Amino acid sequence: MTAASLFCFRHPARETYVRCGRCERPICTSCGLQGPVGLRCKDCGTPARDPLTSLAPAELGAGAAAAVGAGTIAGLVGLQIGFFFSICIGPIIGGLIGEAVMRATGYKRGLAMKALTIGGIVLGVLLAGLIQYTLLLRQMGGEFLPVDAYLASVVLGATVYIAAASVGAYARLR
């Protein structure tokens, strides 16, 4: 040990000659992060907010509007195309919805974007089902259409479509 040697502020047993470029605390090589002008400690080198994954309120609103809007339009298509075509076309539609949400939010990434997009797909299918049910009531001239009969006719196709579109959206947002 020399007179000029320092010890890491996190690991007092480790001798070092390096200081943080911002706060000037001594750091060892395992505590240092490469910063723009040299090594920084983990407190100074970690950004407070990750600009690639955090959403501002305006971006969140634009992303939610794009997810629900595109999810509803695509949900109307998904409810019409049936079980087999949902498996084939659902991932493509989900990828397009993911792209629309990414463009609306400024190409953000992360878990919040995936949840926003998949939530928009699910909510869009629910809204599309409500729209389709209302249109069926109008076509029948106001006759009673049991909700359970309608749900039984669309639930399998809608579930498969949601799963396929979610896989496509997730793959697009990776």
Side-chain angles (χ1 to χ4, degrees):
M1 177 167 76
T2 63
S5 65
L6 302 170
F7 293 94
C8 177
F9 79 98
R10 289 183 189 251
H11 306 104
R14 294 186 187 169
E15 187 176 2
T16 183
Y17 294 97
V18 180
R19 291 181 178 266
C20 173
R22 178 175 282 167
C23 69
E24 296 291 325
R25 291 187 290 191
I27 54 174
C28 64
T29 55
S30 64
C31 290
L33 298 172
Q34 183 63 41
V37 292
L39 289 177
R40 299 226 169 136
C41 66
K42 291 184 180 179
D43 296 333
C44 296
T46 307
R49 130 188 199 312
D50 185 9
L52 191 60
T53 59
S54 59
L55 295 167
E59 293 169 338
L60 181 64
V68 172
T72 303
I73 293 168
L76 286 169
V77 172
L79 290 175
Q80 298 296 321
I81 61 177
F83 178 81
F84 178 72
F85 288 120
S86 290
I87 295 172
C88 299
I89 297 174
I92 297 169
I93 293 173
L96 292 173
I97 294 170
E99 180 68 26
V101 174
M102 274 193 353
R103 287 179 184 237
T105 58
Y107 292 96
K108 300 289 183 174
R109 301 280 182 165
L111 186 61
M113 284 292 296
K114 292 172 186 165
L116 181 68
T117 304
I118 293 172
I121 290 171
V122 171
L123 185 60
V125 169
L126 292 174
L127 289 174
L130 183 63
I131 292 168
Q132 188 181 40
Y133 180 75
T134 305
L135 291 174
L136 282 173
L137 281 178
R138 281 192 183 168
Q139 286 178 351
M140 295 176 65
E143 291 181 30
F144 180 70
L145 176 64
V147 175
D148 58 344
Y150 170 74
L151 288 176
S153 68
V154 298
V155 74
L156 180 63
T159 305
V160 169
Y161 167 74
I162 288 171
S166 297
V167 166
Y170 186 85
R172 178 65 188 104
L173 295 173
R174 278 193 306 157

